[in-house]
Amino acid sequence: MLEVSHLTRRYSGVTVVNDVSFVVRAGDIVGYLGPNGSGKTTTAKIVTGLLDSSSGTVRFDGGDIHDDLVGYRRRLGYVPEEPHLYPFLTGREYLELVGRLRELEPASLTAKIMALVELFGLGSAADRGIASYSKGMKQKVLIIAALLHDPDLVILDEPDSGLDVTASIVLRHLIRGLAAQGKAVLYSSHVMDSVEKLCSRVLVLHKGRVVADDSVERLRGLRAGGSLEDVFSELVMREDPEQIAQAIIGVLADHA
Amino acid sequence: MRERLLVRHFLRRLVENDLISPEADRHEVLGVVCAALTTAGLFGTAFISVKYQFSPLQLPGWTSLAALSDLSLFVGASMIVMALAAVSEWDALGLDARDASILGPLPLPHGMLVRAKLAAIALFTVAFAIALNAVPSLIYPILLSSKLPIPLVDLLALMPAHLVVTAAAGAFGFLGIVAVRELLRAVTGATLFGRLSSVLQAALLVGLATALLLLPRLSSDLSEKWLSPASSASRTLPPVWFVGLHEWIAGGLIDQLPRRFPAETAPNYDGIVQHENDLTRSYRSHRAEFAVLGRAALLGLGVVAIVAFGLSAWNARRLPTATASMADRRGQARLALDWLVRLVLVRRPSAQGGFFFTLQTLGRSAPHRAALVVAGASSLAIGVLSAKNGVPTTTSEIPLTTLAVQSMFVIVLVAGIRHAARIPADTRAGWIFRLAWSGHGRDYLLGVKLATLLAVLAPTVLILLPVHAVTLGWSVALTHAALGLTISAVVVETAFFRYAKVPFAFSYEPSGNQLGRSPIYVVVFLAVTFGLAWVERSVLGSLQGTLILFAVLCGTAFALWLADRAPTSPIDWDDVPMQVTQRLSLNE
């Protein structure tokens, strides 16, 4: 369904995404992991067409996404990493705006929004200004906005950021359910437990390059008895986290 | 030490203003503000002083009286601009929920927070008032007295006098707004204030911007209009107090200068002497009154400062919570309006998107509200300036200006909205337009145009209806209003004809040299409004003629709408403005 080939992106001579290739098929949940600044969000923005690549292609159902970007985006749902929303709109007004821009049928749009805000626990908060929302509430609005039009491809860039435990569990089940319906999901997260439980395949990005691309089981097999977190640490971490933590405690004690 | 840090923090809050640029660097904002103040002061002062430079014979008596009008302009401008600055700083004038959430958990005494906030407001007021008036205070005395035999010491004394008086007037304007805000807050309480606040802010913006535009006319011939014995009510106006204050402390510097008349053999010598003596006598007859007015100015400033700071301290006795901003925005009336619009007026989803987003952005986003306020104030000022007395008995006697006012309102408001449409509602949130865009830009634009027509122009025409009914009678006024609505449709269709961007969603792009084209715009504006008024007056007497005009206007609006339905080139979302150096051709 989604085919990313040799994607490269440079900013002022600095390569932030370097020759990245992967495929996400219908029904797949592909985990996209990497430390901060590894190029995950840049990749997601290129795949959504919000950013141009320096080289490489993104194909959806066989065609280059730029051949019919509007048509591609009709089938795409995207939750960005940063919750940038219009602060002077209410949650409901924002969702109505998105639905109308996507040309969803007005009557069903209203009913859909009402049902989804209730199910996501926004309830009466849906009619309050987004400026007063917590990070988790903004995240819920973004998730609803991404799924409102029932997309075939869902790109989730740290969707669990700011969500409470209940909402995170609901999201996990939701992603699994969407994949079961045949939707392709690209899921970027720092929550290893979620990635481990959800994803059929995992890509690990480090300094713009894919350093691992395999099933969760096979990646775990790289380290006997290890978890995905252990494997991830081994692939991308150059320093011992425990040592860093001890150093921080030392600094705090010295300057107390 | 901590209090000084807090004062600096609150000062930064006053400088970082969303109206200038939500994302801008603080130094950039300060640079823009200082440049604007210096340029405006420089050109304004030079323009005001032209009469002294080109006067063949300048004498102290005439100068003293003429300078009264100039001074009222400087004082009035300082007062209104400072009041506008206070209104644009509205939310930062008191401790708000954001301050409470950030500073509340810190181990700071409550009194320190309040003192720091008041100190920041006081410092900002003084600094802004001085920055606003510094350039005119340096230049104006020189230009005023360049042809007079004034000693250097006296000239140097005129400069601080001008600065102190105009800055004091500015402080009066700024603190007056703070006093009004804090009084409303004290009377209504936090929750009700949260709801009324934005309405009061918008009303003050319109009122002050209108006053600023009308100021040149109001301040002309001050001595005749405001200081004559017949107009004692004008002495209650604060700008007149501060003019009096200036004359009280520095008026004698010009008045006492020796009169250098031309040679006795010069033509009309006696007339010149007589005229100068009359003017001198007239000026000196106000001397005692200047002292009274000056004392009133000082007292007024003191009272306003005490009320503003006293009420601010009273209202800040408890740190505010965020409850006021959590108000439910979806009342029954709004739901009914939504239903009406969706089912009757705007059926297509993209058009509904454009319609509602236009209303929400114009009503709630600070820069868009400011654009609309400026347009509203401009049209109101034009309306006031064009007002004519007298009731015509026949349609042919109706003054053209009376009929042109409605079109003027419509065109100025549409120009304001057309400008606002080019400002992104929120640059960072604009990604959703790119992602959710269906490609039906004309439908979205139709929603924008309908929102402009129904939510801005139709209410304006309806507000003008009773005013016209008083002078023209209900029958003519109703016809005029109906024609006004069709003219509105034509103007909106013209303004957005072949509009290639997505209103409120794009990055802001400067529209080139608008100032250079402004003379053309003024000529076209007057030709169109008075041309339409002339045609309207010609047909108002006959039903047939009125119907033909109505049909022509409706047909024009429909034809424009139809022509605009034709597909345009795809939207280039990555269209970025040229670099400044490119615009100035410095890179060639």
Side-chain angles (χ1 to χ4, degrees):
Chain A
M1 189 174 253
L2 178 74
E3 193 182 340
V4 174
S5 308
H6 306 290
L7 212 61
T8 298
R9 170 75 199 196
R10 293 181 204 92
Y11 285 111
S12 312
V14 179
T15 306
V16 290
V17 175
N18 195 350
D19 197 31
V20 167
S21 300
F22 60 86
V23 175
V24 187
R25 293 188 182 81
D28 270 359
I29 305 174
V30 174
Y32 200 57
L33 306 181
N36 292 336
S38 59
K40 300 191 300 295
T41 297
T42 305
T43 311
K45 282 186 176 170
I46 294 171
V47 172
T48 55
L50 289 172
L51 198 65
D52 287 333
S53 61
S54 304
S55 63
T57 56
V58 181
R59 304 180 80 80
F60 183 69
D61 276 353
D64 192 306
I65 62 165
H66 291 284
D67 291 346
D68 178 17
L69 202 52
V70 171
Y72 166 65
R73 283 173 173 165
R74 278 202 192 105
R75 299 175 63 190
L76 167 74
Y78 173 52
V79 177
E81 182 201 16
E82 295 280 344
H84 292 310
L85 303 158
Y86 289 106
F88 55 83
L89 298 183
T90 67
R92 191 190 303 275
E93 286 169 349
Y94 182 81
L95 294 171
E96 282 172 350
L97 172 69
V98 175
R100 283 165 180 157
L101 290 176
R102 288 198 176 279
E103 306 219 295
L104 302 184
E105 207 270 309
S108 71
L109 173 67
T110 309
K112 209 169 187 176
I113 290 171
M114 277 175 71
L116 286 171
V117 294
E118 283 301 327
L119 287 167
F120 271 87
L122 283 172
S124 61
D127 292 319
R128 291 205 316 248
I130 287 174
S132 70
Y133 278 20
S134 68
K135 194 178 177 195
M137 289 160 87
K138 285 181 188 169
Q139 204 64 27
K140 287 176 183 176
V141 172
L142 283 171
I143 294 168
I144 298 173
L147 301 177
L148 209 52
H149 57 296
D150 195 23
D152 295 323
L153 170 65
V154 185
I155 298 174
L156 306 163
D157 195 352
E158 298 181 30
D160 26 30
S161 169
L163 292 183
D164 58 31
V165 178
T166 316
S168 295
I169 295 170
V170 170
L171 178 68
R172 205 182 295 166
H173 286 291
L174 176 64
I175 293 171
R176 201 174 282 136
L178 291 171
Q181 283 185 345
K183 299 181 193 308
V185 181
L186 182 64
Y187 175 51
S188 168
S189 176
H190 290 300
V191 185
M192 291 295 160
D193 183 46
S194 288
V195 175
E196 202 164 354
K197 285 178 179 160
L198 273 176
C199 299
S200 46
R201 219 176 78 239
V202 170
L203 284 130
V204 181
L205 207 66
H206 182 50
K207 292 184 178 172
R209 281 184 178 279
V210 176
V211 291
D213 178 1
D214 220 325
S215 68
V216 174
E217 290 75 26
R218 286 175 62 121
L219 282 174
R220 272 202 304 238
L222 288 174
R223 200 167 149 162
S227 64
L228 186 61
E229 191 172 300
D230 296 327
V231 177
F232 178 77
S233 303
E234 198 166 299
L235 285 168
V236 302
M237 285 191 175
R238 297 287 173 262
E239 290 170 276
D240 183 1
E242 199 178 330
Q243 270 182 8
I244 296 171
Q246 286 304 324
I248 292 169
I249 290 166
V251 171
L252 294 175
D254 284 349
H255 293 82
Chain B
M1 184 64 190
R2 286 196 302 173
E3 194 159 333
R4 195 182 292 178
L5 198 65
L6 274 174
V7 173
R8 276 171 57 190
H9 164 76
F10 287 128
L11 268 175
R12 278 182 196 167
R13 175 86 200 276
L14 287 162
V15 170
E16 281 160 7
N17 192 312
D18 282 2
L19 273 179
I20 297 166
S21 176
E23 310 289 333
D25 172 64
R26 191 164 51 248
H27 299 98
E28 200 178 314
V29 172
L30 280 173
V32 168
V33 170
C34 287
L37 293 180
T38 308
T39 314
L42 201 65
F43 282 97
T45 309
F47 186 71
I48 288 167
S49 309
V50 163
K51 57 180 174 284
Y52 305 114
Q53 302 308 306
F54 289 94
S55 166
L57 176 67
Q58 189 182 353
L59 292 165
W62 173 79
T63 307
S64 295
L65 274 182
L68 289 177
S69 299
D70 299 347
L71 205 61
S72 69
L73 192 63
F74 283 119
V75 160
S78 175
M79 211 174 260
I80 296 170
V81 171
M82 287 290 289
L84 277 169
V87 175
S88 67
E89 296 286 359
W90 193 254
D91 291 330
L93 293 178
L95 287 170
D96 63 8
R98 188 162 60 164
D99 294 322
S101 67
I102 296 168
L103 302 171
L106 300 177
L108 297 167
H110 181 73
M112 187 190 281
L113 281 179
V114 178
R115 278 197 308 276
K117 185 75 193 181
L118 298 184
I121 290 173
L123 277 173
F124 183 81
T125 309
V126 172
F128 196 81
I130 290 174
L132 177 67
N133 296 295
V135 172
S137 299
L138 280 175
I139 297 168
Y140 176 70
I142 298 171
L143 295 174
L144 173 78
S145 57
S146 61
K147 289 184 172 178
L148 294 172
I150 188 166
L152 182 63
V153 179
D154 287 358
L155 175 62
L156 292 176
L158 277 176
M159 292 175 183
H162 191 278
L163 181 62
V164 166
V165 169
T166 49
F172 181 90
F174 192 97
L175 295 176
I177 295 297
V178 177
V180 168
R181 181 188 187 275
E182 295 304 315
L183 185 65
L184 183 75
R185 167 80 171 72
V187 170
T188 58
T191 311
L192 188 56
F193 177 74
R195 290 183 185 163
L196 295 176
S197 175
S198 58
V199 177
L200 178 66
Q201 188 189 13
L204 283 169
L205 272 175
V206 174
L208 288 166
T210 308
L212 188 66
L213 292 167
L214 291 172
L215 187 64
R217 180 170 164 166
L218 293 173
S219 60
S220 62
D221 301 328
L222 178 89
S223 58
E224 287 169 27
K225 279 196 304 200
W226 291 6
L227 293 176
S228 69
S231 62
S232 57
S234 65
R235 289 162 182 76
T236 57
L237 293 171
V240 182
W241 303 345
F242 286 90
V243 172
L245 178 63
H246 183 272
E247 296 309 302
W248 185 34
I249 60 175
L253 296 175
I254 298 286
D255 180 47
Q256 300 300 329
L257 292 176
R259 272 65 182 159
R260 286 184 182 167
F261 294 112
E264 286 186 25
T265 52
N268 197 25
Y269 171 79
D270 291 338
I272 291 168
V273 173
Q274 181 63 39
H275 185 58
E276 173 61 10
N277 287 340
D278 288 347
L279 294 177
T280 303
R281 231 184 343 269
S282 169
Y283 175 78
R284 289 178 182 168
S285 69
H286 297 305
R287 272 266 178 88
E289 198 175 0
F290 289 146
V292 176
L293 290 170
R295 285 190 202 99
L298 294 177
L299 185 69
L301 180 59
V303 169
V304 162
I306 290 168
V307 171
F309 289 119
L311 285 173
S312 293
W314 169 259
N315 290 330
R317 65 194 187 282
R318 275 194 300 273
L319 284 178
T321 54
T323 48
S325 63
M326 307 280 270
D328 187 334
R329 289 183 191 273
R330 207 170 173 87
Q332 289 301 315
R334 196 179 295 273
L335 281 172
L337 178 72
D338 279 10
W339 179 84
L340 181 74
V341 169
R342 265 186 269 183
L343 288 187
V344 181
L345 296 169
V346 196
R347 305 293 297 258
R348 293 195 190 95
S350 289
Q352 286 180 4
F355 184 89
F356 287 110
F357 194 58
T358 302
L359 296 190
Q360 289 150 355
T361 307
L362 287 178
R364 300 179 200 164
S365 159
H368 296 84
R369 266 208 296 226
L372 204 57
V373 160
V374 170
S378 306
S379 50
L380 207 57
I382 291 169
V384 172
L385 290 173
S386 310
K388 294 273 182 192
N389 292 328
V391 178
T393 48
T394 61
T395 52
S396 59
E397 285 178 15
I398 301 172
L400 281 182
T401 42
T402 304
L403 292 175
V405 162
Q406 185 172 257
S407 311
M408 288 176 175
F409 264 80
V410 166
I411 292 174
V412 173
L413 284 171
V414 171
I417 292 171
R418 178 70 163 68
H419 169 72
R422 293 169 52 241
I423 306 170
D426 186 303
T427 317
R428 290 175 306 180
W431 64 273
I432 194 66
F433 271 86
R434 298 174 64 179
L435 214 61
W437 192 244
S438 59
H440 295 149
R442 295 292 108 184
D443 283 350
Y444 177 86
L445 195 62
L446 175 69
V448 175
K449 290 189 280 194
L450 277 172
T452 305
L453 199 59
L454 297 175
V456 181
L457 301 179
T460 305
V461 170
L462 287 177
I463 288 168
L464 289 174
L465 176 62
V467 181
H468 283 128
V470 171
T471 51
L472 307 175
W474 276 103
S475 160
V476 175
L478 279 168
T479 311
H480 183 54
L483 287 168
L485 288 174
T486 49
I487 288 170
S488 301
V490 175
V491 173
V492 170
E493 287 296 342
T494 310
F496 286 100
F497 189 69
R498 310 306 281 173
Y499 192 81
K501 307 285 181 188
V502 180
F504 311 111
F506 260 98
S507 299
Y508 179 75
E509 283 190 73
S511 58
N513 182 19
Q514 295 293 344
L515 201 62
R517 289 179 220 142
S518 56
I520 301 168
Y521 292 150
V522 171
V523 170
V524 172
F525 173 72
L526 292 173
V528 168
T529 50
F530 280 90
L532 278 169
W534 181 80
V535 173
E536 194 181 338
R537 188 172 67 178
S538 311
V539 301
L540 267 178
S542 81
L543 178 65
Q544 195 184 8
T546 307
L547 287 175
I548 290 171
L549 178 59
F550 195 73
V552 168
L553 288 169
C554 286
T556 308
F558 184 71
L560 284 167
W561 174 76
L562 214 57
D564 200 31
R565 299 290 301 167
T568 51
S569 55
I571 290 163
D572 177 11
W573 294 97
D574 293 319
D575 199 2
V576 288
M578 282 192 296
Q579 295 295 315
V580 176
T581 47
Q582 287 175 316
R583 287 210 305 276
L584 295 172
S585 305
L586 296 179
N587 60 336
E588 287 171 4

